[in-house]
């Protein structure tokens, strides 16, 4: 409790710094920002006829668990001795103290801000290497990030493969991080991509954002499990268990094209 209180105290000082220096289009673990804002930025970047057509979908492998302690101690603007004590505190597993040689404190109040500070600067790096030209073709390289999940738009597949990816790998390597190969891919906007539980895709020149198939399937599986696990419950009890889950899922997707999906899910339930 004492450690969590101390982290909360330091967070009061560190968060304004993170908000001042953070990337403009980073939306995870930040006050007054949400996944809906990240999706809105995707629409703004991809909905026009002149917008980028290729998207790099990237995910960082075990981001919170692998961040370099040396990098954090050298770059996080707070008292070094306190931060080192938190990072090296270790954790208990089966009554045995395990050392922590990398990563941020598990479940710590300050961990999300430390992770954001680690990844901040990626947008500036991209703008430095792909500046907006005065004339000619725009590089169309833009970042939208939510925590350790992000997309980068580009003019072509070759640009993302041969120019953007090496730059990102170098950026992450300095922090002892790497991409998750299974979750990293380059996709054309007409084929669409999933981001934050929603599918972003161009249909005959019109960009539509819908709940993703994986997200719908996961939600229905959760509902089915609740119904199967409570066969002895009354109708009233079952409704009380399901309503918060259904309401929360619907509110999450209400900002996008969801009418047909909502009707289909309603019939399934």
């Amino acid at each position: 409790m004492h450690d969590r209180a101390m982290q909360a105290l330091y967070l009061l000082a560190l968060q304004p710094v993170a908000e001042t220096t953070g990337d403009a289009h980073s939306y995870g673990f930040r006050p007054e920002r949400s996944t809906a804002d990240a999706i809105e930025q995707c629409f703004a970047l991809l909905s026009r006829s002149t917008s980028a057509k290729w998207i790099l979908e990237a995910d960082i492998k075990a981001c919170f668990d692998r961040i370099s302690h040396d990098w954090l101690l050298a770059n996080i603007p707070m008292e070094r001795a306190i931060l080192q004590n938190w990072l090296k505190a270790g954790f208990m597993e089966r009554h045995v103290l395990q050392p922590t040689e990398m990563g941020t404190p598990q479940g710590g109040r300050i961990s999300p801000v430390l992770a954001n500070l680690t990844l901040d600067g990626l947008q500036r790096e991209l703008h430095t290497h792909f500046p907006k030209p005065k004339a000619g073709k725009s590089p169309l390289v833009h970042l939208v990030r939510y925590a350790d999940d992000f997309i980068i738009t580009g003019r072509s597949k070759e640009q993302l493969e041969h120019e953007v990816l090496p730059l990102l790998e170098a950026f992450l390597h300095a922090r002892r991080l790497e991409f998750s190969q299974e979750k990293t891919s380059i996709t054309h906007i007409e084929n669409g991509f999933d981001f934050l539980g929603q599918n972003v895709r161009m249909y005959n020149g019109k960009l539509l954002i819908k709940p993703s198939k994986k997200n719908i399937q996961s939600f229905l599986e959760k509902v089915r499990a609740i119904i199967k696990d409570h066969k002895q419950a009354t109708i009233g009890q079952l409704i009380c268990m399901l309503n918060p889950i259904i309401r929360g899922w619907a509110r999450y997707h209400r900002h996008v094209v969801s009418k047909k999906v909502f009707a289909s899910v309603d019939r399934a339930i």
Side-chain angles (χ1 to χ4, degrees):
M1 291 299 293
H2 180 266
D3 285 345
R4 288 187 66 82
M6 287 295 292
Q7 285 191 21
L9 183 63
Y10 273 84
L11 182 61
L12 291 174
L14 191 59
Q15 192 159 49
V17 177
E19 286 300 300
T20 303
T21 61
D23 290 341
H25 298 300
S26 162
Y27 297 94
F29 305 118
R30 297 184 67 179
E32 308 298 330
R33 296 192 177 206
S34 68
T35 53
D37 296 317
I39 292 296
E40 182 183 12
Q41 179 63 14
C42 290
F43 184 85
L45 291 175
L46 298 168
S47 59
R48 300 173 184 171
S49 59
T50 56
S51 297
K53 303 301 180 186
W54 290 91
I55 298 93
L56 169 65
E57 307 167 63
D59 186 84
I60 301 171
K61 185 185 293 185
C63 179
F64 283 80
D65 297 330
R66 295 192 176 192
I67 299 173
S68 167
H69 284 183
D70 291 338
W71 191 94
L72 288 170
L73 292 169
N75 293 275
I76 299 300
M78 65 170 285
E79 192 173 344
R80 183 186 174 98
I82 295 293
L83 178 59
Q84 185 169 16
N85 287 339
W86 286 337
L87 295 176
K88 303 295 185 182
F91 63 94
M92 296 295 292
E93 184 176 12
R94 296 180 180 178
H95 306 290
V96 178
L97 180 63
Q98 305 290 338
T100 46
E101 301 299 332
M102 62 179 73
T104 57
Q106 295 295 314
R109 291 287 304 274
I110 207 167
S111 294
V113 172
L114 293 179
N116 267 340
L117 284 168
T118 302
L119 297 176
D120 281 335
L122 180 53
Q123 185 175 328
R124 291 190 295 274
E125 195 82 7
L126 290 171
H127 286 175
T128 299
H129 285 79
F130 304 97
K132 187 176 181 180
K134 295 182 179 179
K137 288 186 177 180
S138 169
L140 299 176
V141 178
H142 299 286
L143 168 76
V144 181
R145 180 169 71 84
Y146 191 92
D148 60 340
D149 194 9
F150 59 92
I151 66 160
I152 297 175
T153 64
R155 186 177 63 249
S156 66
K157 184 177 182 180
E158 292 73 22
Q159 182 189 47
L160 292 174
E161 275 185 351
H162 304 305
E163 298 179 47
V164 174
L165 259 179
L167 177 66
L168 293 179
E169 287 172 349
F171 179 88
L172 294 176
H173 181 72
R175 294 149 176 80
R176 207 184 293 173
L177 297 171
E178 60 182 4
F179 288 116
S180 170
Q181 296 297 331
E182 301 80 15
K183 298 181 180 179
T184 299
S185 61
I186 298 175
T187 312
H188 194 275
I189 190 61
E190 290 184 358
N191 295 324
F193 63 95
D194 291 347
F195 185 52
L196 302 177
Q198 296 177 342
N199 180 262
V200 183
R201 184 177 175 183
M202 188 75 76
Y203 296 85
N204 298 319
K206 184 174 184 180
L207 188 75
L208 296 180
I209 303 176
K210 306 176 182 179
S212 70
K213 291 182 179 178
K214 287 183 180 178
N215 186 271
I216 298 168
Q217 183 179 0
S218 175
F219 170 69
L220 287 177
E221 286 175 356
K222 185 176 183 179
V223 171
R224 288 190 186 103
I226 291 173
I227 294 173
K228 288 180 180 179
D229 291 344
H230 297 87
K231 291 181 179 179
Q232 305 304 319
T234 66
I235 292 297
Q237 290 171 334
L238 192 59
I239 288 172
C240 287
M241 285 185 277
L242 290 176
N243 268 354
I245 297 168
I246 297 170
R247 190 182 299 118
W249 185 82
R251 284 178 175 172
Y252 183 86
H253 292 292
R254 65 179 175 171
H255 305 288
V256 297
V257 182
S258 307
K259 182 179 179 180
K260 290 183 179 179
V261 171
F262 283 176
S264 174
V265 168
D266 191 49
R267 286 194 298 273
I269 293 174

